[in-house]
Amino acid sequence: MSAPHPPCVILNEPQLAENIGAAARVMANFGLSDLRLVRPRDGWPQERAWASASGADWPLNDAKLFDRMEDAIADLQLVYASTARPRETQLPVLTPREAAAELSRAVVGGLATGLMFGGERAGLETADIALSHGIVTVPVDARFRSLNLAQAVAVCAYEWRLTVLDRPREAFAHNIDEPAPGEMLVGLYEHFERELDAAGFFHPPEKRPSMIRNLRVALGRARMTEQEVRTFRGVVTALSKGRGRVLAKLAAKKAETGDR
Amino acid sequence: MSAPHPPCVILNEPQLAENIGAAARVMANFGLSDLRLVRPRDGWPQERAWASASGADWPLNDAKLFDRMEDAIADLQLVYASTARPRETQLPVLTPREAAAELSRAVVGGLATGLMFGGERAGLETADIALSHGIVTVPVDARFRSLNLAQAVAVCAYEWRLTVLDRPREAFAHNIDEPAPGEMLVGLYEHFERELDAAGFFHPPEKRPSMIRNLRVALGRARMTEQEVRTFRGVVTALSKGRGRVLAKLAAKKAETGDR
């Protein structure tokens, strides 16, 4: 009985070293490392796999090579086979999400698990699928089913990763700083409105209340931080005073020199 | 208003034609077709993109080419930016699943939407991210964050596809007030910035880009409607010109009458 560890990825007769490397890379992205290769077309190892792994070397360095799928899955207790078109079979067909949930439960229970993928051209043979406990089908659009091998690994590994995180919402909770208190917002609103009053913005006057409401609603939705409120007060000051001062100076100069 | 259609995929400065093709392929797998390219490094079109798309030619055939991200998002009303490491920003950070749910609601509501991805090496610049309404982060393992461009597209497109398959459950979509398209927002931003430049707001000058980014992010979070954008353009005009005119008149008067 192996110690609990993430599912292995088994590539059956992969053709392109680039795809093996790309699969290794995305495995590393999503926390998988146990890579098994069954009869890779061009032999093993192949330098191009490392090149396309972009530094995710460890799944490649430790990749195990097999002549037969039977040997590749020998130690596994739960294996799903990924195929685009579920063939005539009595195996359950799962979505990647359902398969990840099952794998997660199995791994937590100490089982050795794996995901089996077919080669680029032919996919998995029914004989290989028959060695699995269920079929995983990535829900591709019927108009274009041909999913790249590494992309199929990506989707399954991504779903696995989500089960590990388990609480994706919390792990990726908003990183937004605390919104400013209402007091500060009102200070900003009133500053804005004072300057807009001075600029004669609110016309006709009877529309002033609803115009103010609309401005406040739009600004309020931004949920500004305290820093942002300070910045926008600076903006209001700059626009209303800065430009005003420049024009005032110009006008004063013109008047003084008699320019018109 | 555009008819409901799936989000577009915007690739910013993609380097490898193979990755553009791989992105197109996985877009087709998951029912996306509107591909936009901003300054692809090696120009466009490139034959190798079609080769690596494995028959998913239509996103490539119809791909639109842009010089600036501002133009690529001009017609979009909701845009998320995919980045591996959420930088210091005040934008919300979503998982691919959360982003897909938001995009789905928006699309059902008739909005034009998009997903923005950075180039292979550098990812997205903060200035581009500032044009989005939120960040999508694929939950990669901290030990190996470097996610292939097409894999990032794959995960986001896969989650989008799941929302489409789930659509019947969404009979109760929110009544979303239509956010203004990116073009109008950029117009507002640039108007704001022009006036702030004139008012000498951006100092020291080396801080200008980050100050602009922060202003855009805060305003972008408000998700203004077209009407609101028009109102705020009026606000900017009023503050910068109106007050200026008033002060200028006053100053001119004072100068004429000899008052000090």
Side-chain angles (χ1 to χ4, degrees):
Chain A
M1 167 65 90
S2 40
H5 57 60
C8 68
V9 167
I10 310 164
L11 305 185
N12 188 54
E13 302 191 354
Q15 301 185 307
L16 300 172
E18 286 81 357
N19 281 337
I20 300 174
R25 178 175 176 179
V26 80
M27 285 172 64
N29 286 142
F30 295 123
L32 304 179
S33 59
D34 183 352
L35 176 62
R36 303 179 181 194
L37 305 172
V38 182
R39 297 186 302 278
R41 185 188 64 185
D42 300 334
W44 191 256
Q46 298 173 67
E47 215 173 293
R48 284 168 303 138
W50 274 260
S52 70
S54 293
D57 291 346
W58 59 99
L60 299 173
N61 295 341
D62 298 339
K64 293 173 205 78
L65 195 62
F66 298 90
D67 278 336
R68 304 188 318 149
M69 182 58 82
E70 284 82 348
D71 300 326
I73 57 133
D75 60 323
L76 303 181
Q77 296 161 296
L78 179 66
V79 184
Y80 290 122
S82 165
T83 120
R85 301 166 195 265
R87 332 269 171 117
E88 287 285 316
T89 171
Q90 291 304 309
L91 286 168
V93 178
L94 295 84
T95 65
R97 189 161 302 172
E98 290 164 343
E102 292 295 328
L103 288 168
S104 179
R105 268 191 286 278
V107 166
V108 167
L111 304 191
T113 63
L115 279 158
M116 189 193 288
F117 297 85
E120 289 87 341
R121 194 133 313 162
L124 287 169
E125 305 269 336
T126 45
D128 298 317
I129 294 173
L131 294 170
S132 78
H133 302 98
I135 287 172
V136 196
T137 296
V138 177
V140 288
D141 192 314
R143 285 165 293 183
F144 192 73
R145 290 187 168 279
S146 164
L147 188 66
N148 169 267
L149 170 57
Q151 300 283 24
V153 175
V155 166
C156 294
Y158 161 71
E159 286 286 6
W160 160 261
R161 172 86 181 140
L162 292 186
T163 70
V164 171
L165 292 175
D166 206 11
R167 283 164 306 199
R169 281 202 68 94
E170 281 173 39
F172 288 87
H174 289 192
N175 68 345
I176 290 187
D177 281 353
E178 288 200 14
E183 186 175 44
M184 280 191 73
L185 287 179
V186 171
L188 170 63
Y189 298 160
E190 289 175 351
H191 184 182
F192 235 119
E193 290 148 16
R194 230 165 21 240
E195 296 300 341
L196 287 171
D197 266 330
F201 178 74
F202 295 115
H203 56 89
E206 64 270 23
K207 280 209 168 173
R208 187 177 183 278
S210 70
M211 290 172 82
I212 283 183
R213 239 178 2 250
N214 294 341
L215 288 174
R216 290 183 173 200
V217 163
L219 285 174
R221 283 206 314 270
R223 302 256 197 117
M224 293 190 195
T225 64
E226 297 198 1
Q227 179 53 50
E228 287 171 341
V229 170
R230 280 190 290 271
T231 301
F232 273 87
R233 292 200 66 149
V235 163
V236 175
T237 301
L239 287 183
S240 51
K241 300 253 162 54
R243 178 68 175 262
R245 252 186 248 127
V246 170
L247 290 183
K249 269 185 202 156
L250 276 178
K253 215 177 192 175
K254 277 184 190 168
E256 273 170 13
T257 58
D259 273 6
R260 279 271 119 190
Chain B
M1 184 50 8
S2 38
H5 56 59
C8 67
V9 168
I10 309 166
L11 305 185
N12 188 52
E13 302 192 354
Q15 301 186 307
L16 300 173
E18 287 80 358
N19 281 336
I20 300 174
R25 178 174 176 180
V26 81
M27 285 172 65
N29 286 143
F30 295 123
L32 303 179
S33 59
D34 183 352
L35 176 61
R36 303 179 181 194
L37 305 172
V38 182
R39 295 186 302 277
R41 186 188 64 185
D42 301 334
W44 191 256
Q46 297 173 66
E47 214 173 292
R48 285 167 303 137
W50 273 260
S52 71
S54 292
D57 291 345
W58 59 98
L60 299 174
N61 295 342
D62 298 339
K64 292 171 207 76
L65 194 63
F66 297 91
D67 278 334
R68 305 189 319 148
M69 181 58 81
E70 281 84 349
D71 301 326
I73 58 130
D75 60 322
L76 303 181
Q77 295 162 299
L78 180 66
V79 184
Y80 289 122
S82 165
T83 120
R85 300 165 194 265
R87 331 268 170 114
E88 289 286 317
T89 170
Q90 292 303 313
L91 287 168
V93 178
L94 293 84
T95 65
R97 190 161 300 172
E98 290 165 342
E102 293 292 331
L103 288 168
S104 178
R105 268 191 286 276
V107 166
V108 167
L111 304 192
T113 63
L115 279 159
M116 190 193 288
F117 297 85
E120 289 87 341
R121 193 133 313 160
L124 287 170
E125 304 269 337
T126 44
D128 297 316
I129 295 174
L131 294 170
S132 79
H133 302 99
I135 288 173
V136 196
T137 296
V138 176
V140 289
D141 192 313
R143 286 166 292 184
F144 192 73
R145 291 187 168 278
S146 164
L147 187 66
N148 169 267
L149 171 57
Q151 300 284 24
V153 175
V155 167
C156 294
Y158 161 72
E159 286 287 5
W160 160 260
R161 172 86 182 139
L162 293 186
T163 71
V164 172
L165 295 175
D166 257 359
R167 206 45 69 69
R169 283 187 211 159
E170 286 190 39
F172 304 101
H174 283 284
N175 230 348
I176 301 182
D177 254 350
E178 291 204 7
E183 186 173 42
M184 280 192 72
L185 288 179
V186 171
L188 169 64
Y189 297 159
E190 290 175 350
H191 184 183
F192 234 119
E193 290 148 15
R194 229 162 26 236
E195 295 300 341
L196 287 171
D197 266 328
F201 178 73
F202 296 116
H203 57 90
E206 63 271 23
K207 280 209 166 174
R208 187 176 182 278
S210 71
M211 291 172 83
I212 283 183
R213 233 162 27 232
N214 294 341
L215 289 174
R216 288 182 174 202
V217 162
L219 286 174
R221 282 205 317 269
R223 302 244 198 129
M224 293 189 195
T225 63
E226 296 197 2
Q227 180 52 52
E228 286 170 341
V229 170
R230 280 191 290 269
T231 302
F232 272 87
R233 292 200 66 150
V235 163
V236 176
T237 301
L239 287 182
S240 51
K241 301 253 161 56
R243 177 66 175 262
R245 255 186 247 123
V246 169
L247 290 183
K249 270 184 202 158
L250 277 177
K253 216 176 190 176
K254 277 183 190 171
E256 273 170 14
T257 59
D259 272 7
R260 280 273 120 188

